[in-house]
């Protein structure tokens, strides 16, 4: 089984001067290609720290992280940035859209950080429009975030996460700010992306959301307390 990502004895400590916070204390687990994982745990359990390390947004204090078979610790910051932009798409609870940008411009943002591709050409723009259509926002291309509902803003962030065709999607509470109907729509999109073969790693505090994934990781005090394999859910349309 090919692995999209793997962590081996991963630790992350924060030295706050008077105290050292041990956010992660030796976490090891595999993320096979096509996995759909829910990471759960109470506040301070280490789930967000783990997601940040998986996203190569931070470096571990010790241990190893393999992304697409590459040991991340051997990469310099520039190499890490390129790999992160190419291989990982991010979806955030707070959407993290740029307020003055249109829907289309927000989707295009990751393209601006590609190595060797300073400009967005016609093909790239058409791809971004295709993604907007895929998430149901083809008629909102010129709208700005304040003109969109929370669910629509999250759809923009999903399209943005897909623009570089990543193998892994990291989602931090992607349904946390949404009503139940919109939550269901966002989960359907994620299920469909997973069915295409993308690996999805999602932090959530909602058991009803976690039950829709293929695997649950429960964290406590910086370690993995349990891992549960679930029956893959049927897709809804």
């Amino acid at each position: 089984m090919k692995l999209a990502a793997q962590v081996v004895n991963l630790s992350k400590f924060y030295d706050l001067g008077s105290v050292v916070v041990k956010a992660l204390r030796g976490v090891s687990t595999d993320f096979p290609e096509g996995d759909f994982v829910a990471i759960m745990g109470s506040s301070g359990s280490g789930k967000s720290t783990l997601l940040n390390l998986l996203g190569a947004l931070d470096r571990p204090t010790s241990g190893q992280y393999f992304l697409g078979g590459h040991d991340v610790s051997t990469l310099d910051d520039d190499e890490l940035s390129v790999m992160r932009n190419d291989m990982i798409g991010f979806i955030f609870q707070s959407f993290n859209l740029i307020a003055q940008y249109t829907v289309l411009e927000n989707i295009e943002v990751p393209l601006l950080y590609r190595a060797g591709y300073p400009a967005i050409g016609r093909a790239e723009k058409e791809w971004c429009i295709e993604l907007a259509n895929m998430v149901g926002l083809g008629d909102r291309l010129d709208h700005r975030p304040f003109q969109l509902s929370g669910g629509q803003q999250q759809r923009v962030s999903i399209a943005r996460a897909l623009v570089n065709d990543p193998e892994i999607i990291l989602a931090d509470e992607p349904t946390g700010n949404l009503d139940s109907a919109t939550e269901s729509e966002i989960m359907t999109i994620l299920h469909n992306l997973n069915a295409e073969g993308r690996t999805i790693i999602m932090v959530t505090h909602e058991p009803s959301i976690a039950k829709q994934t293929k695997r649950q990781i429960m964290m406590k005090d910086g370690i993995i307390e349990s891992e549960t394999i679930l029956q893959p859910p049927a897709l809804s349309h």
Side-chain angles (χ1 to χ4, degrees), residues 32-235:
E33 286 187 350
D35 207 356
F36 192 168
V37 186
I39 302 175
M40 303 187 72
S42 60
S43 178
S45 63
K47 60 185 187 298
S48 294
T49 299
L50 177 57
L51 199 71
N52 282 340
L53 292 176
L54 290 171
L57 299 172
D58 199 357
R59 292 184 182 268
T61 302
S62 62
Q64 291 178 291
Y65 171 34
F66 296 92
L67 177 60
H70 300 278
D71 186 346
V72 169
S73 66
T74 66
L75 305 177
D76 63 29
D77 287 345
D78 288 340
E79 292 170 330
L80 189 59
S81 179
V82 170
M83 176 169 281
R84 180 173 58 236
N85 200 46
D86 288 346
M87 292 192 64
I88 300 174
F90 295 91
I91 303 171
F92 303 96
Q93 179 180 5
S94 56
F95 318 132
N96 286 11
L97 302 179
I98 299 174
Q100 65 267 33
Y101 280 15
T102 64
V103 165
L104 185 58
E105 289 167 341
N106 268 288
I107 295 172
E108 292 171 348
V109 165
L111 296 176
L112 302 175
Y113 296 96
R114 295 176 304 167
Y117 293 91
I120 296 175
R122 181 175 178 180
E124 288 86 357
K125 194 167 290 289
E126 288 177 352
W127 168 234
C128 292
I129 292 172
E130 183 178 334
L131 288 172
N133 284 320
M134 187 203 80
V135 298
L137 292 174
D139 60 345
R140 298 285 192 276
L141 297 179
D142 294 328
H143 285 57
R144 287 175 169 74
F146 75 90
Q147 298 173 299
L148 304 174
S149 68
Q152 288 171 329
Q153 291 185 62
Q154 191 60 291
R155 288 168 182 267
V156 177
S157 72
I158 291 173
R160 179 185 59 192
L162 294 173
V163 75
N164 281 330
D165 196 23
E167 298 176 22
I168 300 173
I169 295 174
L170 300 182
D172 188 5
E173 300 279 8
T175 62
N177 287 332
L178 307 176
D179 60 68
S180 58
T182 308
E183 174 184 283
S184 178
E185 293 172 358
I186 296 301
M187 287 304 297
T188 295
I189 293 175
L190 294 179
H191 284 309
N192 290 337
L193 293 172
N194 181 241
E196 293 175 359
R198 299 183 198 274
T199 304
I200 299 178
I201 304 171
M202 173 178 65
V203 163
T204 182
H205 68 277
E206 301 173 75
S208 61
I209 294 297
K211 287 177 181 177
Q212 298 181 47
T213 65
K214 295 178 178 177
R215 181 162 61 112
Q216 292 181 29
I217 294 176
M218 183 63 69
M219 299 196 66
K220 183 178 181 180
D221 298 331
I223 62 172
I224 293 178
E225 185 178 43
S226 64
E227 293 192 46
T228 306
I229 305 296
L230 304 172
Q231 182 70 26
L235 294 181

